[in-house]
Every structure is written in structure tokens, then in C-alpha cells.
Amino acid sequence: MRDNSLMPPLSGHRIALLESRKSDELAALVRRLGGEPVTAPSVREVPRHEDADTFISALTGRRVDVAVFLTGVGAAGLLDDAERRGQLPAVLDALNRITVACRGPKPLGVVRRFGITPSVVTVKPHTTHELLDALTAVVDVRGRGVLVSHYGERSTELTSALRDRGALIVEVCPYEWALPEDVGPLTELVRETIAGHVDAMLFTSQIQCRHLFEIAGRLGCAEVLTATMNQDVVIGAVGPVCARAIRDAGVTPDVIPDSPNMTSLITAVGDYFELTRPA
């Protein structure tokens, strides 16, 4: 008789990964846990270098009293652009004079690497709600200029809330989200899922879900994909924002880890399979 307690947690399961940036690293983790990764990069980040000019002028021109960084990639991109323009010392000096807010550990790590100590940091799960609460405890934004560094697409929920509080918003979007130039792997994932060849699908951002269903829509099988994901696939969401986008697509997430990162998500999905594995 086979002892299931000795089996790796993802043993015998095909795990779909839609992450683009760290797909090889995550696939290796799935293999270490006994699973078979199915990688389908779903997002391409397109830099918007022109927004660096707005970022630099708002800071060096003393037009803002607060700077909000929502992602590490966005913060690094803006600061790198400032360095390429020879404006990094002036930008860092300006940031050191104002209130800097970071949503989550990734932008926090980036600004610290540049010698900036944020006044505002968030607690888990690092959503807009936690960011607004943290800002309220530190600074009154009424009548003040607030620079918001977006990610992929503009966070209208955040900027609307800040405007309601009387903030004067300056927005930059250092990169935009787009579909991969090669959508073949994403197309194949839709077909493999519907055919019953995927056991779990893991999402690390809301745009991954939207792009998946955009491809399914092009194939004319979005409704079938929704039904299959709800009935036959374990759906993992890295955090509440991602989970909300999945629910908006008509799919119910099965796993949301306590810590909003991909390693915790893969581990949590392994725990899910172990708990539901027949004795």
C-alpha cells in the first residue's frame, strides 16, 4: 500500500503559472514540490520613459509634498530614468525632504537601496486600504501635492480616495501592461485547461486573469473556461486584489496565502492538495 504521507505535496499535479518575470524560478519551485509546471507568460511590461520627465519635474520643482510608490518595478524604473538623465541626486534630495509612502515590501526595498527612508509603509495584505490607513496616520494630504507612481494601469481607487481627501494629484505610470508578443503559450493553456489537463492555476496579479480571459474570448470559449476553472481546477490568488479580479471573471479562488508572495502561494496550494488527497 502506497504511503501518501511520503509523497511531495504537488506530486502528480500539473500547475499552471501565468507569471512572466520569474517563471523559471517558480517552475523550479513547483518541480521541487513534485509538480509539473505549465508556464504561460501572460503579461509584457512596456516602459513609459516619458513619464520620468513628469516625475523629475514634480520633485525638483517642489510641486509635491508626498510621493507614493505602488510597485518596486515602477520605483526602480523612475529612479533609473532619473539617473540616465543626470537628475538622480536632485530627485533623491527632493524625496528626502518630503513624505515617501510605499505599498508593500518591493517598493520599500527599492527606495531604501537608493538611500530613502519612507515615512509610510503598509501592513499585509498591502492593498489600497492599508495604504490609505497608513497615510492617514502620518500626513494630512488636504491641499498638498501627492505624486502617485502607478503600475501597468492607473489605480483609480487610490487617486479618487486621495482627491476626496483634498489632495492635488500628480500621476506617473512608468510602465504599461500588454499581452505577450507571443500569445501561443497562453492560448495553449486555455485549451489544456478546458481539456482537463491542468490541476491548479496560480495568479500573481489581476492583469494575468484578464489577459487569460481575453485570449479565451478570442477563441470563443470564455464561458467554458470559467466553468472548467470553477469545477476542476484549484485556483490560487496571491492576495485579495488578485482574488477580486478572479471573482470578477466569474471564478472562485480556492487558495489565498497569508503572505502575499508567489512562494507562499505555491506552498499553500501544496498544502491544499495534501489536505484533500485521499488517504
Side-chain angles (χ1 to χ4, degrees):
M1 182 175 178
R2 191 174 189 180
D3 186 353
N4 285 343
S5 66
L6 301 179
M7 295 172 62
L10 296 179
S11 181
H13 297 297
R14 302 187 82 221
I15 312 298
L17 304 170
L18 289 98
E19 176 68 29
S20 300
R21 213 181 296 144
K22 297 183 177 181
S23 58
D24 291 343
E25 177 184 329
L26 299 174
L29 177 56
V30 168
R31 291 190 188 96
R32 282 200 298 274
L33 295 176
E36 179 187 346
V38 181
T39 58
S42 59
V43 183
R44 177 167 52 99
E45 293 173 354
V46 182
R48 288 171 44 92
H49 298 294
E50 63 273 17
D51 274 31
D53 294 327
T54 302
F55 172 74
I56 293 166
S57 64
L59 288 167
T60 59
R62 306 291 176 87
R63 291 165 45 206
V64 295
D65 304 290
V66 180
V68 179
F69 295 101
L70 299 179
T71 67
V73 173
L78 289 168
L79 293 169
D80 288 344
D81 275 342
E83 185 171 25
R84 280 190 287 270
R85 287 163 166 77
Q87 295 291 319
L88 183 59
V91 165
L92 294 180
D93 178 67
L95 287 169
N96 275 313
R97 295 173 182 269
I98 66 174
T99 300
V100 174
C102 293
R103 190 196 67 175
K106 293 182 180 179
L108 177 62
V110 169
V111 300
R112 281 180 171 169
R113 192 169 72 242
F114 281 87
I116 305 297
T117 301
S119 305
V120 177
V121 295
T122 56
V123 297
K124 294 177 184 177
H126 307 297
T127 69
T128 296
H129 176 75
E130 285 77 34
L131 176 59
L132 288 168
D133 282 350
L135 275 169
T136 300
V138 173
V139 61
D140 181 2
V141 298
R142 185 171 301 280
R144 295 174 180 264
V146 178
L147 174 69
V148 177
S149 170
H150 292 288
Y151 56 94
E153 61 186 14
R154 296 179 187 274
S155 177
T156 55
E157 180 184 0
L158 173 61
T159 52
S160 295
L162 290 171
R163 285 193 177 97
D164 288 344
R165 297 180 180 192
L168 308 174
I169 303 296
V170 178
E171 300 178 79
V172 293
C173 195
Y175 63 93
E176 291 180 332
W177 284 326
L179 278 166
E181 292 180 347
D182 178 12
V183 297
L186 203 52
T187 301
E188 184 62 19
L189 175 60
V190 171
R191 291 174 173 149
E192 287 277 285
T193 303
I194 291 172
H197 300 154
V198 171
D199 300 300
M201 189 178 296
L202 312 188
F203 295 90
T204 56
S205 71
Q206 55 185 315
I207 192 63
Q208 293 172 359
C209 182
R210 294 208 296 273
H211 279 179
L212 176 74
F213 276 93
E214 182 175 339
I215 295 300
R218 293 181 187 182
L219 297 172
C221 58
E223 291 186 4
V224 177
L225 179 64
T226 299
T228 303
M229 290 171 68
N230 276 320
Q231 295 169 10
D232 303 323
V233 182
V234 175
I235 303 299
V238 76
V241 175
C242 184
R244 187 189 315 149
I246 296 170
R247 291 189 185 97
D248 288 344
V251 177
T252 301
D254 300 292
V255 178
I256 306 173
D258 292 333
S259 296
N261 61 73
M262 192 61 173
T263 300
S264 297
L265 177 58
I266 293 174
T267 303
V269 169
D271 292 342
Y272 180 96
F273 279 123
E274 283 197 313
L275 289 170
T276 57
R277 181 178 292 148

